[in-house]
Amino acid sequence: MRTFIQLALMMVMLGTVVINNAAIADDLHAGHLLPIVGSVNSLQHAQSVGVLLSDNTRDNLSYLERYHDMALNGAKDALDGRIRQAFVNSSDPELAIDWLMSSLQGTFLSVTVYDNLDALVQAHPDVVVMLDTHNQLLTQRNDQVEARFIARFYDANLQYIAKAEGAVHKQVPSVWVHDKAAPEIAAQIEQQRGVQLDALKQFDASLKALLRAGQRAG
């Protein structure tokens, strides 16, 4: 009973962390990038890449940071350490963005993140990437866990080429059961991290397929 009450307290606190669940905004228009389809052979390993983070990505990073901070610091000493650590591990705000940047850096000659489109255009990279991320984590009112990652590629003239993406959605069995032991609850919460990792692996496979298509076309 004590574990259940402690978990209820943590879940209520995490439930105050709000995420905007609206559909991903049309970043082509928001970023003033033209939705004109280019050729996939525009993508080659020996290229410089300029990355822009979509507004959705920046909002999502803020959401993860708030959730992670609440897991670390909310209701301290009032929750089983294994459950708290599961919340902390599965809400790492750096996990996805570090993975995505590493994927791009391992694929292209150079990768630079720019604060805005004007700065990127002045730098004249060979390829432009609009990076969009979305995560949804467990709260008292939500048992749906989701991770979605999209990189939209544009050529040097800002004409759309293609996208790499990975997305996983999972309903986590309810942790709101009185007789569950702490290790079982922690394992269920850790599934949030697994959802992110599975979506990131899908993204890697999608990115590799794009480059293979570019090499064949070239």
Side-chain angles (χ1 to χ4, degrees):
M1 177 63 74
R2 181 171 180 270
T3 296
F4 179 81
I5 293 172
Q6 293 170 341
L7 177 61
L9 175 61
M10 175 61 83
M11 293 295 276
V12 167
M13 295 179 72
L14 291 174
T16 65
V17 180
V18 178
I19 183 172
N20 181 0
N21 285 318
I24 294 177
D26 185 352
D27 290 311
L28 300 181
H29 296 301
H32 310 292
L33 302 181
L34 303 175
I36 302 172
V37 177
S39 172
V40 73
N41 64 6
S42 302
L43 297 178
Q44 302 292 333
H45 286 291
Q47 288 176 317
S48 60
V49 172
V51 177
L52 291 174
L53 303 183
S54 71
D55 290 342
N56 190 70
T57 296
R58 296 182 189 278
D59 289 345
N60 195 242
L61 284 172
S62 295
Y63 159 74
L64 289 174
E65 287 166 359
R66 294 193 302 272
Y67 191 104
H68 191 68
D69 182 67
M70 190 68 73
L72 275 171
N73 302 308
K76 277 198 169 182
D77 304 320
L79 186 65
D80 183 280
R82 291 161 292 187
I83 296 174
R84 178 184 294 280
Q85 194 58 46
F87 277 121
V88 171
N89 291 344
S90 63
S91 61
D92 179 1
E94 304 297 329
L95 173 64
I97 202 71
D98 285 351
W99 182 300
L100 294 167
M101 292 304 300
S102 179
S103 287
L104 293 170
Q105 289 165 351
T107 302
F108 297 98
L109 180 64
S110 68
V111 178
T112 305
V113 179
Y114 293 90
D115 291 333
N116 54 67
L117 182 60
D118 288 341
L120 183 149
V121 169
Q122 290 180 14
H124 303 296
D126 300 317
V127 176
V128 174
V129 171
M130 177 68 80
L131 195 59
D132 197 285
T133 70
H134 171 83
N135 290 275
Q136 180 171 293
L137 303 178
L138 294 170
T139 68
Q140 185 184 15
R141 295 182 295 274
N142 176 61
D143 61 0
Q144 306 291 324
V145 179
E146 184 176 7
R148 183 171 64 244
F149 309 113
I150 303 173
R152 294 181 176 89
F153 291 85
Y154 303 82
D155 66 17
N157 296 316
L158 303 184
Q159 294 185 352
Y160 177 72
I161 301 170
K163 66 180 177 180
E165 61 186 325
V168 175
H169 177 275
K170 184 173 186 177
Q171 182 175 9
V172 176
S174 176
V175 297
W176 296 91
V177 179
H178 287 270
D179 60 354
K180 281 188 178 179
E184 184 180 0
I185 295 172
Q188 287 180 235
I189 295 167
E190 283 281 6
Q191 292 181 50
Q192 299 190 122
R193 186 178 180 90
V195 166
Q196 284 201 69
L197 291 173
D198 288 345
L200 288 165
K201 290 172 185 176
Q202 284 186 16
F203 177 88
D204 280 352
S206 179
L207 180 59
K208 289 176 182 176
L210 273 186
L211 266 292
R212 285 196 300 270
Q215 289 171 340
R216 288 196 298 270

Short mmCIF file of all heavy atoms in Angstrom, two decimals, residues 133-194:
data_model
loop_
_atom_site.label_atom_id
_atom_site.label_comp_id
_atom_site.label_asym_id
_atom_site.label_seq_id
_atom_site.Cartn_x
_atom_site.Cartn_y
_atom_site.Cartn_z
N THR A 133 11.19 16.17 -33.26
CA THR A 133 11.07 15.09 -32.28
C THR A 133 9.80 15.25 -31.46
O THR A 133 9.33 16.37 -31.21
CB THR A 133 12.27 15.05 -31.32
OG1 THR A 133 12.23 16.19 -30.45
CG2 THR A 133 13.59 15.05 -32.08
N HIS A 134 9.26 14.12 -31.03
CA HIS A 134 8.07 14.13 -30.18
C HIS A 134 8.15 12.94 -29.23
O HIS A 134 8.40 11.81 -29.65
CB HIS A 134 6.80 14.02 -31.02
CG HIS A 134 5.55 13.79 -30.22
ND1 HIS A 134 4.86 14.82 -29.63
CD2 HIS A 134 4.88 12.66 -29.90
CE1 HIS A 134 3.82 14.33 -28.97
NE2 HIS A 134 3.81 13.02 -29.13
N ASN A 135 7.96 13.20 -27.94
CA ASN A 135 7.89 12.14 -26.93
C ASN A 135 6.67 12.38 -26.06
O ASN A 135 6.36 13.52 -25.71
CB ASN A 135 9.14 12.12 -26.04
CG ASN A 135 10.37 11.66 -26.78
OD1 ASN A 135 10.64 10.47 -26.89
ND2 ASN A 135 11.13 12.61 -27.30
N GLN A 136 6.01 11.31 -25.68
CA GLN A 136 4.93 11.38 -24.70
C GLN A 136 5.19 10.31 -23.66
O GLN A 136 5.39 9.13 -24.01
CB GLN A 136 3.58 11.16 -25.37
CG GLN A 136 2.40 11.23 -24.40
CD GLN A 136 1.08 11.22 -25.13
OE1 GLN A 136 0.74 12.17 -25.84
NE2 GLN A 136 0.32 10.16 -24.96
N LEU A 137 5.18 10.70 -22.37
CA LEU A 137 5.54 9.79 -21.28
C LEU A 137 4.36 9.57 -20.34
O LEU A 137 3.33 10.24 -20.43
CB LEU A 137 6.75 10.34 -20.52
CG LEU A 137 8.01 10.60 -21.36
CD1 LEU A 137 9.11 11.19 -20.49
CD2 LEU A 137 8.48 9.32 -22.04
N LEU A 138 4.55 8.64 -19.42
CA LEU A 138 3.50 8.26 -18.49
C LEU A 138 3.16 9.38 -17.50
O LEU A 138 4.05 10.06 -16.99
CB LEU A 138 3.94 7.03 -17.68
CG LEU A 138 4.12 5.72 -18.44
CD1 LEU A 138 4.79 4.69 -17.55
CD2 LEU A 138 2.75 5.20 -18.92
N THR A 139 1.88 9.53 -17.26
CA THR A 139 1.39 10.37 -16.17
C THR A 139 0.21 9.64 -15.54
O THR A 139 -0.19 8.56 -15.99
CB THR A 139 0.93 11.76 -16.66
OG1 THR A 139 -0.25 11.62 -17.47
CG2 THR A 139 2.02 12.46 -17.46
N GLN A 140 -0.38 10.25 -14.54
CA GLN A 140 -1.53 9.65 -13.87
C GLN A 140 -2.69 9.43 -14.84
O GLN A 140 -3.43 8.45 -14.72
CB GLN A 140 -2.00 10.55 -12.72
CG GLN A 140 -3.12 9.95 -11.88
CD GLN A 140 -3.60 10.92 -10.82
OE1 GLN A 140 -3.29 12.11 -10.89
NE2 GLN A 140 -4.33 10.42 -9.83
N ARG A 141 -2.83 10.30 -15.83
CA ARG A 141 -3.96 10.23 -16.76
C ARG A 141 -3.56 9.67 -18.12
O ARG A 141 -4.38 9.65 -19.04
CB ARG A 141 -4.58 11.62 -16.94
CG ARG A 141 -5.21 12.16 -15.68
CD ARG A 141 -5.85 13.52 -15.90
NE ARG A 141 -4.86 14.53 -16.23
CZ ARG A 141 -4.18 15.23 -15.31
NH1 ARG A 141 -4.39 15.00 -14.04
NH2 ARG A 141 -3.29 16.14 -15.67
N ASN A 142 -2.32 9.25 -18.27
CA ASN A 142 -1.87 8.78 -19.58
C ASN A 142 -1.04 7.51 -19.46
O ASN A 142 -0.05 7.49 -18.74
CB ASN A 142 -1.02 9.86 -20.27
CG ASN A 142 -0.44 9.37 -21.58
OD1 ASN A 142 -1.19 9.03 -22.49
ND2 ASN A 142 0.88 9.28 -21.66
N ASP A 143 -1.47 6.45 -20.16
CA ASP A 143 -0.69 5.21 -20.19
C ASP A 143 -0.16 4.93 -21.60
O ASP A 143 0.32 3.84 -21.88
CB ASP A 143 -1.49 4.02 -19.67
CG ASP A 143 -2.75 3.76 -20.50
OD1 ASP A 143 -2.99 4.50 -21.49
OD2 ASP A 143 -3.49 2.80 -20.18
N GLN A 144 -0.26 5.95 -22.47
CA GLN A 144 0.25 5.82 -23.84
C GLN A 144 1.64 6.44 -23.93
O GLN A 144 1.81 7.62 -23.64
CB GLN A 144 -0.69 6.52 -24.82
CG GLN A 144 -2.13 6.08 -24.74
CD GLN A 144 -2.34 4.67 -25.23
OE1 GLN A 144 -1.70 4.24 -26.19
NE2 GLN A 144 -3.23 3.94 -24.58
N VAL A 145 2.61 5.64 -24.33
CA VAL A 145 3.98 6.13 -24.48
C VAL A 145 4.31 6.18 -25.97
O VAL A 145 4.03 5.23 -26.71
CB VAL A 145 4.98 5.21 -23.74
CG1 VAL A 145 6.40 5.71 -23.92
CG2 VAL A 145 4.62 5.13 -22.26
N GLU A 146 4.89 7.29 -26.40
CA GLU A 146 5.14 7.48 -27.82
C GLU A 146 6.48 8.18 -28.04
O GLU A 146 6.88 9.05 -27.27
CB GLU A 146 4.03 8.32 -28.44
CG GLU A 146 4.14 8.49 -29.94
CD GLU A 146 2.96 9.24 -30.53
OE1 GLU A 146 2.13 9.76 -29.76
OE2 GLU A 146 2.89 9.32 -31.77
N ALA A 147 7.17 7.77 -29.09
CA ALA A 147 8.39 8.45 -29.53
C ALA A 147 8.34 8.54 -31.05
O ALA A 147 8.08 7.54 -31.73
CB ALA A 147 9.63 7.69 -29.08
N ARG A 148 8.60 9.73 -31.57
CA ARG A 148 8.55 9.95 -33.02
C ARG A 148 9.67 10.90 -33.41
O ARG A 148 9.78 12.01 -32.85
CB ARG A 148 7.19 10.51 -33.41
CG ARG A 148 6.99 10.71 -34.91
CD ARG A 148 5.54 11.06 -35.23
NE ARG A 148 5.11 12.32 -34.66
CZ ARG A 148 4.17 12.44 -33.74
NH1 ARG A 148 3.57 11.38 -33.24
NH2 ARG A 148 3.81 13.65 -33.31
N PHE A 149 10.49 10.50 -34.35
CA PHE A 149 11.65 11.30 -34.76
C PHE A 149 11.67 11.40 -36.29
O PHE A 149 11.60 10.38 -36.99
CB PHE A 149 12.94 10.66 -34.26
CG PHE A 149 12.91 10.34 -32.80
CD1 PHE A 149 12.92 9.03 -32.36
CD2 PHE A 149 12.86 11.35 -31.85
CE1 PHE A 149 12.87 8.72 -31.01
CE2 PHE A 149 12.81 11.07 -30.50
CZ PHE A 149 12.82 9.74 -30.07
N ILE A 150 11.78 12.62 -36.79
CA ILE A 150 11.77 12.85 -38.24
C ILE A 150 12.88 13.84 -38.60
O ILE A 150 13.01 14.89 -37.97
CB ILE A 150 10.43 13.43 -38.72
CG1 ILE A 150 9.27 12.50 -38.33
CG2 ILE A 150 10.44 13.64 -40.23
CD1 ILE A 150 7.90 13.09 -38.63
N ALA A 151 13.65 13.50 -39.61
CA ALA A 151 14.64 14.42 -40.19
C ALA A 151 14.24 14.65 -41.65
O ALA A 151 14.24 13.71 -42.45
CB ALA A 151 16.04 13.84 -40.11
N ARG A 152 13.87 15.89 -41.95
CA ARG A 152 13.51 16.24 -43.32
C ARG A 152 14.73 16.88 -44.00
O ARG A 152 15.30 17.83 -43.47
CB ARG A 152 12.33 17.20 -43.34
CG ARG A 152 11.04 16.57 -42.81
CD ARG A 152 9.88 17.57 -42.86
NE ARG A 152 8.62 16.95 -42.43
CZ ARG A 152 8.18 16.91 -41.17
NH1 ARG A 152 8.92 17.46 -40.21
NH2 ARG A 152 7.04 16.35 -40.88
N PHE A 153 15.07 16.37 -45.16
CA PHE A 153 16.28 16.79 -45.87
C PHE A 153 15.94 17.71 -47.03
O PHE A 153 14.98 17.47 -47.77
CB PHE A 153 17.03 15.57 -46.40
CG PHE A 153 17.65 14.73 -45.32
CD1 PHE A 153 16.90 13.76 -44.67
CD2 PHE A 153 18.98 14.92 -44.95
CE1 PHE A 153 17.46 12.98 -43.67
CE2 PHE A 153 19.55 14.14 -43.95
CZ PHE A 153 18.78 13.17 -43.30
N TYR A 154 16.76 18.77 -47.17
CA TYR A 154 16.61 19.73 -48.26
C TYR A 154 17.98 19.95 -48.90
O TYR A 154 19.02 19.83 -48.23
CB TYR A 154 16.09 21.07 -47.72
CG TYR A 154 14.77 20.96 -46.99
CD1 TYR A 154 14.74 20.57 -45.66
CD2 TYR A 154 13.57 21.21 -47.64
CE1 TYR A 154 13.54 20.44 -44.98
CE2 TYR A 154 12.36 21.10 -46.97
CZ TYR A 154 12.36 20.70 -45.63
OH TYR A 154 11.17 20.56 -44.97
N ASP A 155 17.99 20.28 -50.19
CA ASP A 155 19.26 20.54 -50.85
C ASP A 155 19.71 21.97 -50.58
O ASP A 155 19.08 22.72 -49.82
CB ASP A 155 19.18 20.22 -52.35
CG ASP A 155 18.25 21.14 -53.13
OD1 ASP A 155 17.89 22.24 -52.61
OD2 ASP A 155 17.87 20.80 -54.26
N ALA A 156 20.81 22.37 -51.19
CA ALA A 156 21.39 23.70 -50.94
C ALA A 156 20.46 24.83 -51.36
O ALA A 156 20.58 25.97 -50.89
CB ALA A 156 22.73 23.82 -51.66
N ASN A 157 19.50 24.53 -52.25
CA ASN A 157 18.52 25.53 -52.68
C ASN A 157 17.22 25.46 -51.87
O ASN A 157 16.22 26.06 -52.23
CB ASN A 157 18.20 25.34 -54.17
CG ASN A 157 19.41 25.58 -55.04
OD1 ASN A 157 20.15 26.54 -54.82
ND2 ASN A 157 19.63 24.70 -56.01
N LEU A 158 17.28 24.71 -50.77
CA LEU A 158 16.15 24.54 -49.86
C LEU A 158 14.96 23.85 -50.51
O LEU A 158 13.80 24.08 -50.16
CB LEU A 158 15.71 25.87 -49.26
CG LEU A 158 16.80 26.65 -48.50
CD1 LEU A 158 16.21 27.90 -47.87
CD2 LEU A 158 17.45 25.78 -47.44
N GLN A 159 15.26 22.97 -51.47
CA GLN A 159 14.22 22.14 -52.07
C GLN A 159 14.18 20.79 -51.36
O GLN A 159 15.22 20.17 -51.14
CB GLN A 159 14.47 21.96 -53.56
CG GLN A 159 14.34 23.25 -54.36
CD GLN A 159 14.47 23.03 -55.85
OE1 GLN A 159 14.80 21.93 -56.30
NE2 GLN A 159 14.19 24.06 -56.63
N TYR A 160 12.99 20.35 -51.02
CA TYR A 160 12.81 19.12 -50.26
C TYR A 160 13.31 17.90 -51.03
O TYR A 160 13.05 17.75 -52.22
CB TYR A 160 11.33 18.96 -49.92
CG TYR A 160 11.00 17.69 -49.18
CD1 TYR A 160 11.36 17.52 -47.85
CD2 TYR A 160 10.32 16.65 -49.81
CE1 TYR A 160 11.06 16.36 -47.15
CE2 TYR A 160 10.00 15.48 -49.12
CZ TYR A 160 10.37 15.34 -47.80
OH TYR A 160 10.06 14.18 -47.13
N ILE A 161 14.03 17.03 -50.31
CA ILE A 161 14.56 15.81 -50.92
C ILE A 161 13.80 14.58 -50.43
O ILE A 161 13.20 13.84 -51.20
CB ILE A 161 16.06 15.64 -50.59
CG1 ILE A 161 16.87 16.83 -51.09
CG2 ILE A 161 16.58 14.33 -51.17
CD1 ILE A 161 18.30 16.85 -50.60
N ALA A 162 13.83 14.36 -49.09
CA ALA A 162 13.26 13.14 -48.53
C ALA A 162 13.30 13.27 -47.01
O ALA A 162 13.75 14.28 -46.47
CB ALA A 162 14.05 11.91 -49.00
N LYS A 163 12.85 12.23 -46.33
CA LYS A 163 12.92 12.24 -44.87
C LYS A 163 13.32 10.87 -44.34
O LYS A 163 13.07 9.84 -44.96
CB LYS A 163 11.59 12.67 -44.25
CG LYS A 163 10.44 11.70 -44.49
CD LYS A 163 9.16 12.23 -43.84
CE LYS A 163 7.98 11.29 -44.13
NZ LYS A 163 6.72 11.80 -43.49
N ALA A 164 13.98 10.90 -43.18
CA ALA A 164 14.26 9.69 -42.41
C ALA A 164 13.42 9.77 -41.15
O ALA A 164 13.27 10.86 -40.57
CB ALA A 164 15.75 9.61 -42.06
N GLU A 165 12.86 8.66 -40.71
CA GLU A 165 11.98 8.72 -39.55
C GLU A 165 11.93 7.40 -38.81
O GLU A 165 12.25 6.33 -39.34
CB GLU A 165 10.57 9.13 -39.98
CG GLU A 165 9.90 8.17 -40.95
CD GLU A 165 8.55 8.70 -41.44
OE1 GLU A 165 7.86 9.37 -40.64
OE2 GLU A 165 8.21 8.46 -42.61
N GLY A 166 11.52 7.50 -37.55
CA GLY A 166 11.25 6.34 -36.71
C GLY A 166 10.16 6.70 -35.74
O GLY A 166 10.15 7.81 -35.20
N ALA A 167 9.22 5.79 -35.52
CA ALA A 167 8.10 6.08 -34.62
C ALA A 167 7.62 4.80 -33.96
O ALA A 167 7.46 3.77 -34.63
CB ALA A 167 6.96 6.74 -35.39
N VAL A 168 7.41 4.87 -32.65
CA VAL A 168 6.89 3.73 -31.89
C VAL A 168 5.85 4.26 -30.90
O VAL A 168 6.06 5.29 -30.25
CB VAL A 168 8.01 3.00 -31.11
CG1 VAL A 168 7.42 1.90 -30.23
CG2 VAL A 168 9.02 2.39 -32.08
N HIS A 169 4.75 3.55 -30.82
CA HIS A 169 3.68 3.88 -29.87
C HIS A 169 3.36 2.63 -29.07
O HIS A 169 3.26 1.53 -29.63
CB HIS A 169 2.44 4.35 -30.63
CG HIS A 169 1.26 4.65 -29.75
ND1 HIS A 169 0.39 3.68 -29.34
CD2 HIS A 169 0.83 5.81 -29.20
CE1 HIS A 169 -0.54 4.22 -28.58
NE2 HIS A 169 -0.30 5.51 -28.47
N LYS A 170 3.21 2.77 -27.76
CA LYS A 170 2.96 1.61 -26.91
C LYS A 170 2.09 1.99 -25.73
O LYS A 170 2.29 3.04 -25.11
CB LYS A 170 4.29 1.03 -26.40
CG LYS A 170 4.14 -0.25 -25.59
CD LYS A 170 5.51 -0.83 -25.27
CE LYS A 170 5.38 -2.18 -24.58
NZ LYS A 170 6.69 -2.79 -24.32
N GLN A 171 1.14 1.14 -25.43
CA GLN A 171 0.35 1.30 -24.21
C GLN A 171 1.00 0.47 -23.11
O GLN A 171 1.15 -0.74 -23.24
CB GLN A 171 -1.10 0.85 -24.41
CG GLN A 171 -1.96 1.05 -23.17
CD GLN A 171 -3.42 0.72 -23.43
OE1 GLN A 171 -3.78 0.20 -24.49
NE2 GLN A 171 -4.28 1.03 -22.47
N VAL A 172 1.42 1.13 -22.05
CA VAL A 172 2.09 0.45 -20.95
C VAL A 172 1.03 -0.06 -19.97
O VAL A 172 0.13 0.69 -19.58
CB VAL A 172 3.06 1.41 -20.22
CG1 VAL A 172 3.68 0.74 -19.01
CG2 VAL A 172 4.15 1.86 -21.19
N PRO A 173 1.11 -1.35 -19.57
CA PRO A 173 0.14 -1.86 -18.59
C PRO A 173 0.09 -0.98 -17.36
O PRO A 173 1.10 -0.46 -16.91
CB PRO A 173 0.69 -3.26 -18.26
CG PRO A 173 1.50 -3.64 -19.46
CD PRO A 173 2.09 -2.35 -19.97
N SER A 174 -1.08 -0.84 -16.80
CA SER A 174 -1.29 0.10 -15.70
C SER A 174 -0.38 -0.22 -14.52
O SER A 174 -0.24 -1.36 -14.09
CB SER A 174 -2.74 0.04 -15.24
OG SER A 174 -2.93 0.88 -14.11
N VAL A 175 0.25 0.84 -14.00
CA VAL A 175 1.04 0.69 -12.78
C VAL A 175 0.17 0.93 -11.55
O VAL A 175 0.63 0.82 -10.43
CB VAL A 175 2.24 1.68 -12.75
CG1 VAL A 175 3.18 1.37 -13.89
CG2 VAL A 175 1.76 3.12 -12.80
N TRP A 176 -1.13 1.23 -11.80
CA TRP A 176 -2.05 1.54 -10.71
C TRP A 176 -2.70 0.28 -10.17
O TRP A 176 -3.92 0.11 -10.22
CB TRP A 176 -3.11 2.53 -11.19
CG TRP A 176 -2.51 3.83 -11.57
CD1 TRP A 176 -2.06 4.20 -12.81
CD2 TRP A 176 -2.23 4.92 -10.70
NE1 TRP A 176 -1.55 5.46 -12.76
CE2 TRP A 176 -1.64 5.93 -11.49
CE3 TRP A 176 -2.43 5.16 -9.33
CZ2 TRP A 176 -1.24 7.15 -10.95
CZ3 TRP A 176 -2.05 6.36 -8.80
CH2 TRP A 176 -1.45 7.34 -9.61
N VAL A 177 -1.87 -0.64 -9.70
CA VAL A 177 -2.35 -1.90 -9.13
C VAL A 177 -1.75 -2.04 -7.74
O VAL A 177 -0.54 -1.98 -7.56
CB VAL A 177 -1.96 -3.10 -10.01
CG1 VAL A 177 -2.44 -4.40 -9.37
CG2 VAL A 177 -2.54 -2.95 -11.41
N HIS A 178 -2.60 -2.25 -6.75
CA HIS A 178 -2.15 -2.20 -5.36
C HIS A 178 -1.11 -3.26 -5.01
O HIS A 178 -0.23 -3.02 -4.20
CB HIS A 178 -3.35 -2.36 -4.41
CG HIS A 178 -4.22 -1.14 -4.36
ND1 HIS A 178 -4.03 -0.12 -3.46
CD2 HIS A 178 -5.29 -0.77 -5.11
CE1 HIS A 178 -4.93 0.82 -3.64
NE2 HIS A 178 -5.72 0.45 -4.64
N ASP A 179 -1.21 -4.45 -5.61
CA ASP A 179 -0.36 -5.55 -5.15
C ASP A 179 0.92 -5.71 -5.96
O ASP A 179 1.65 -6.69 -5.80
CB ASP A 179 -1.13 -6.87 -5.16
CG ASP A 179 -1.64 -7.24 -6.55
OD1 ASP A 179 -1.49 -6.41 -7.47
OD2 ASP A 179 -2.19 -8.35 -6.71
N LYS A 180 1.25 -4.75 -6.82
CA LYS A 180 2.48 -4.84 -7.60
C LYS A 180 3.68 -4.46 -6.74
O LYS A 180 3.64 -3.48 -5.99
CB LYS A 180 2.44 -3.93 -8.83
CG LYS A 180 1.64 -4.51 -9.99
CD LYS A 180 1.80 -3.66 -11.23
CE LYS A 180 1.03 -4.29 -12.40
NZ LYS A 180 1.15 -3.46 -13.62
N ALA A 181 4.76 -5.23 -6.90
CA ALA A 181 5.98 -4.94 -6.17
C ALA A 181 6.77 -3.86 -6.91
O ALA A 181 6.62 -3.66 -8.12
CB ALA A 181 6.82 -6.20 -6.03
N ALA A 182 7.65 -3.17 -6.16
CA ALA A 182 8.44 -2.08 -6.74
C ALA A 182 9.24 -2.50 -7.97
O ALA A 182 9.27 -1.76 -8.97
CB ALA A 182 9.35 -1.47 -5.68
N PRO A 183 9.93 -3.66 -7.98
CA PRO A 183 10.70 -4.03 -9.17
C PRO A 183 9.82 -4.18 -10.42
O PRO A 183 10.24 -3.81 -11.53
CB PRO A 183 11.33 -5.36 -8.78
CG PRO A 183 11.39 -5.33 -7.29
CD PRO A 183 10.16 -4.61 -6.87
N GLU A 184 8.61 -4.70 -10.25
CA GLU A 184 7.71 -4.86 -11.39
C GLU A 184 7.25 -3.50 -11.92
O GLU A 184 7.19 -3.28 -13.13
CB GLU A 184 6.50 -5.70 -10.98
CG GLU A 184 5.56 -6.02 -12.13
CD GLU A 184 4.36 -6.85 -11.70
OE1 GLU A 184 4.26 -7.18 -10.51
OE2 GLU A 184 3.53 -7.15 -12.57
N ILE A 185 6.93 -2.59 -11.01
CA ILE A 185 6.52 -1.24 -11.41
C ILE A 185 7.66 -0.54 -12.14
O ILE A 185 7.48 0.09 -13.18
CB ILE A 185 6.08 -0.42 -10.18
CG1 ILE A 185 4.82 -1.03 -9.56
CG2 ILE A 185 5.84 1.04 -10.56
CD1 ILE A 185 4.44 -0.41 -8.24
N ALA A 186 8.87 -0.66 -11.59
CA ALA A 186 10.04 -0.02 -12.20
C ALA A 186 10.27 -0.56 -13.61
O ALA A 186 10.58 0.20 -14.54
CB ALA A 186 11.27 -0.24 -11.33
N ALA A 187 10.11 -1.87 -13.80
CA ALA A 187 10.33 -2.47 -15.12
C ALA A 187 9.31 -1.94 -16.13
O ALA A 187 9.65 -1.71 -17.30
CB ALA A 187 10.23 -3.99 -15.01
N GLN A 188 8.08 -1.74 -15.68
CA GLN A 188 7.07 -1.20 -16.58
C GLN A 188 7.40 0.24 -16.98
O GLN A 188 7.27 0.63 -18.14
CB GLN A 188 5.70 -1.25 -15.91
CG GLN A 188 5.12 -2.65 -15.84
CD GLN A 188 3.76 -2.65 -15.17
OE1 GLN A 188 3.54 -3.36 -14.21
NE2 GLN A 188 2.86 -1.85 -15.68
N ILE A 189 7.83 1.03 -16.01
CA ILE A 189 8.18 2.42 -16.30
C ILE A 189 9.37 2.50 -17.26
O ILE A 189 9.42 3.36 -18.14
CB ILE A 189 8.47 3.17 -14.98
CG1 ILE A 189 7.20 3.26 -14.14
CG2 ILE A 189 9.01 4.58 -15.26
CD1 ILE A 189 7.45 3.69 -12.71
N GLU A 190 10.32 1.58 -17.10
CA GLU A 190 11.51 1.57 -17.96
C GLU A 190 11.15 1.33 -19.43
O GLU A 190 11.95 1.61 -20.32
CB GLU A 190 12.49 0.49 -17.49
CG GLU A 190 13.30 0.86 -16.26
CD GLU A 190 14.48 1.77 -16.59
OE1 GLU A 190 14.60 2.21 -17.75
OE2 GLU A 190 15.26 2.05 -15.66
N GLN A 191 9.94 0.83 -19.68
CA GLN A 191 9.53 0.61 -21.07
C GLN A 191 9.50 1.92 -21.85
O GLN A 191 9.59 1.92 -23.08
CB GLN A 191 8.15 -0.06 -21.11
CG GLN A 191 8.15 -1.50 -20.61
CD GLN A 191 6.78 -2.14 -20.70
OE1 GLN A 191 6.13 -2.08 -21.75
NE2 GLN A 191 6.33 -2.73 -19.61
N GLN A 192 9.36 3.04 -21.13
CA GLN A 192 9.40 4.34 -21.81
C GLN A 192 10.72 4.52 -22.54
O GLN A 192 10.75 5.04 -23.66
CB GLN A 192 9.24 5.48 -20.79
CG GLN A 192 7.93 5.45 -20.03
CD GLN A 192 7.70 6.71 -19.23
OE1 GLN A 192 6.71 7.40 -19.41
NE2 GLN A 192 8.62 7.04 -18.33
N ARG A 193 11.81 4.12 -21.91
CA ARG A 193 13.13 4.24 -22.55
C ARG A 193 13.22 3.28 -23.75
O ARG A 193 13.77 3.63 -24.80
CB ARG A 193 14.24 3.94 -21.55
CG ARG A 193 15.65 4.16 -22.09
CD ARG A 193 16.70 3.91 -21.01
NE ARG A 193 18.06 4.10 -21.51
CZ ARG A 193 18.71 5.25 -21.48
NH1 ARG A 193 18.13 6.31 -20.96
NH2 ARG A 193 19.94 5.35 -21.95
N GLY A 194 12.67 2.09 -23.59
CA GLY A 194 12.68 1.13 -24.68
C GLY A 194 11.94 1.63 -25.91
O GLY A 194 12.37 1.40 -27.05
#
